[in-house]
Amino acid sequence: MKRSMLELNFAPDALTPRMSAQTLSFHLGKHLQTYLDNVNRMAEGTPYDEMTLKEIVMKADGALYNNAAQAWNHIIFFKQLSPQVVTMPRLLTQAIAARFGSVEAFREAFTHAAVSLFGSGWVWLALDAINQLQLLPMSNAGNPIREGMRPLMCIDVWEHAYYLDYQNRRADYVNNFWYLIDWDKVEHRRQSVDYTLYY
């Protein structure tokens, strides 16, 4: 099975100035493509070859896990982006406020986690096994499905995600990220148990 490249439903420059076409070209077209190519190469001729990315992430370890998880994480990241500012749906607003105190408190906590995560990694909003919202800073290729959780949104804080646009100013990247989230998609992920809809 060849895991194919993600195709976006917006133009490469549609996220400017918050995410440039150059960043999108390198981040999507180089980094994600390399992870997918590595997975396809390493899985070929093994039992992993017929598995989805999600299945590989759940079962593999070592280099295959790292590449599959990074590919899977990036797909989640890119598919949640929108060129238009999307208002958070009422039900999601209520759920976040009930868990974190307010949407603003959630945003502050998520931003702090993203800015302060040491080195490379991801910060996730996810649902745990009892449908409780959780904020998860995770190093390197970490992702919630290995913890039995359902991912709703994430931010990539590897330097390749922002260095062309922001250099070492990770906080500026994180602050601009909030304007790129398709909150309808986040809510759809919260309501749906069908992983194939967005993975």
Side-chain angles (χ1 to χ4, degrees), residues 107-118 122-123 135-137 155 157 170:
R107 176 170 169 161
E108 289 176 3
F110 191 100
T111 296
H112 175 74
V115 172
S116 62
L117 182 66
F118 183 77
W122 301 78
V123 178
L135 196 161
L136 303 170
I155 186 170
V157 292
R170 185 191 285 186

Side-chain angles (χ1 to χ4, degrees), residues 61-74:
D61 55 20
L64 179 56
Y65 163 77
N66 285 328
N67 280 274
Q70 280 292 88
W72 190 86
N73 293 357
H74 277 87

Side-chain angles (χ1 to χ4, degrees), residues 12 43 45 49 58 63 80-82 86 93 129 137 142 156 163-164 169 174 176 182-183 185 188 191:
D49 202 22
M58 294 296 290
Q80 75 191 358
L81 300 180
S82 171
V86 178
T93 299
D156 183 352
Y163 211 84
L164 290 176
R169 303 188 310 277
V174 175
N176 276 289
D182 185 341
W183 291 108
K185 188 158 290 182
H188 184 65
Q191 296 288 347

Side-chain angles (χ1 to χ4, degrees), residues 159 162-163 166-171:
E159 283 189 341
Y162 61 88
Y163 211 84
Y166 300 97
Q167 290 76 53
N168 64 333
R169 303 188 310 277
R170 185 191 285 186

